[in-house]
Amino acid sequence: MACDGREAAHSLSAVTFRELVDAAVDTAIEGWDFGVLDGRYVQGAPSWDYRGLVGQPLRSATALLDLCTGGGEFLSSLAPLPPVTAATEAYPPNVLVARRRLGPLGIQVADVSADPGRLPFGDGVFDLVLSRHGAYVPAEVRRVLAPGGLFVTQQVGGRDLAELNAALDAPPHTFRTWDLDTAARELERDGFTVADRREELVGGVLHDIGAVVLLLRLTPWQIPDFDPTVYETRLRVLHDRLAAGATLRVHSHRFLLTARLR
């Protein structure tokens, strides 16, 4: 990814609003591949390393469950995986992508689109459950974990990209109160001991209106009713700003919890 996006922004400065939006709408998106935004949405990273944090418990785990695996991109990158590894996905298009990627690794991908809150696994099956940016129900995580099992999650908080919603005069998140303290309290009520907890707002920059539309396609929960035609007036206003050399500065809201079942 470009360090600051200036080269990508310059190459797009002469492209019209319609060309940028149409290209963003027509771009094929598979799984959660944010590579289509390289150089156009420059996003920072939290101070912690989620991959590193799951690495140690992963090495000793015998049964792993990855919640909301997307297209299986992150899970497959953690190989070698425990002898028993399973995943869930609630977004139907991603289920097929994940099964293509994870099936050859012997990983079952459960389609939970009909009931995302229910995990189709037996009680106490896993000793490690991961959730990277995916929703979960604490009672269900507790049920499928073995006694003493570990749950590690990095979550997208309710203040995520709030500046983007404001720029398009869109409603704020329906889950805008979702934060570290709320998640920690829920887990503790359901029999977990929280061992690690961290929360940050991480800066990022959007350079062109096509990147805005692509990002909203990749994160449909950000503005659930988003349609470029419906939001065209606001998109054009924002495009004029970006085309004139401005940027849209946003913040990603991330928090991390590591919790062990008592």
Side-chain angles (χ1 to χ4, degrees):
M1 179 177 289
C3 292
D4 59 11
R6 283 177 290 186
E7 183 177 344
H10 176 74
S11 68
L12 292 167
S13 59
V15 184
T16 69
F17 170 83
R18 181 52 55 202
E19 289 169 334
L20 286 167
V21 171
D22 287 351
V25 169
D26 292 340
T27 297
I29 293 177
E30 185 172 271
W32 279 346
D33 180 9
F34 283 72
V36 294
L37 288 167
D38 280 357
R40 301 169 68 185
Y41 173 37
V42 181
Q43 182 182 19
S47 60
W48 62 83
D49 176 12
Y50 180 76
R51 181 187 299 277
L53 288 168
V54 303
Q56 183 173 354
L58 189 64
R59 286 191 289 273
S60 59
T62 59
L64 164 69
L65 174 61
D66 186 41
L67 303 179
C68 300
T69 198
E73 300 89 350
F74 182 76
L75 179 59
S76 62
S77 76
L78 296 175
L81 294 163
V84 175
T85 298
T88 68
E89 178 53 38
Y91 183 50
N94 279 352
V95 173
L96 299 176
V97 177
R99 285 176 174 168
R100 286 201 305 269
R101 178 175 281 112
L102 300 177
L105 302 178
I107 300 172
Q108 172 195 355
V109 179
D111 181 349
V112 296
S113 55
D115 187 1
R118 174 69 179 172
L119 300 177
F121 305 102
D123 296 354
V125 173
F126 303 99
D127 50 8
L128 177 62
V129 175
L130 305 178
S131 175
R132 182 174 178 266
H133 303 175
Y136 63 89
V137 176
E140 276 293 274
V141 175
R142 180 193 65 207
R143 182 183 64 78
V144 301
L145 269 175
L150 190 68
F151 178 49
V152 183
T153 181
Q154 178 175 292
Q155 288 287 302
V156 176
R159 287 177 284 167
D160 195 61
L161 303 178
E163 300 92 342
L164 177 54
N165 292 58
L168 296 181
D169 198 23
H173 282 307
T174 56
F175 60 95
R176 57 189 174 275
T177 59
W178 181 236
D179 60 13
L180 177 66
D181 288 343
T182 301
R185 284 195 301 269
E186 289 182 355
L187 287 169
E188 288 166 347
R189 282 198 300 263
D190 269 287
F192 288 87
T193 298
V194 175
D196 192 1
R197 46 186 291 162
R198 315 182 200 188
E199 185 170 32
E200 291 178 1
L201 288 173
V202 182
V205 178
L206 282 152
H207 287 279
D208 69 270
I209 206 64
V212 169
V213 175
L214 280 168
L215 180 59
L216 290 171
R217 288 187 61 204
L218 281 160
T219 58
W221 55 86
Q222 185 70 33
I223 301 177
D225 67 342
F226 178 74
D227 180 320
T229 302
V230 173
Y231 280 87
E232 181 166 342
T233 299
R234 294 301 301 175
L235 288 169
R236 284 187 178 275
V237 171
L238 180 55
H239 166 73
D240 289 343
R241 284 175 48 200
L242 300 177
T247 57
L248 177 59
R249 297 191 175 275
V250 296
H251 289 86
S252 299
H253 182 191
R254 299 287 183 266
F255 63 87
L256 174 90
L257 282 165
T258 298
R260 192 169 296 278
L261 186 61
R262 294 195 288 266

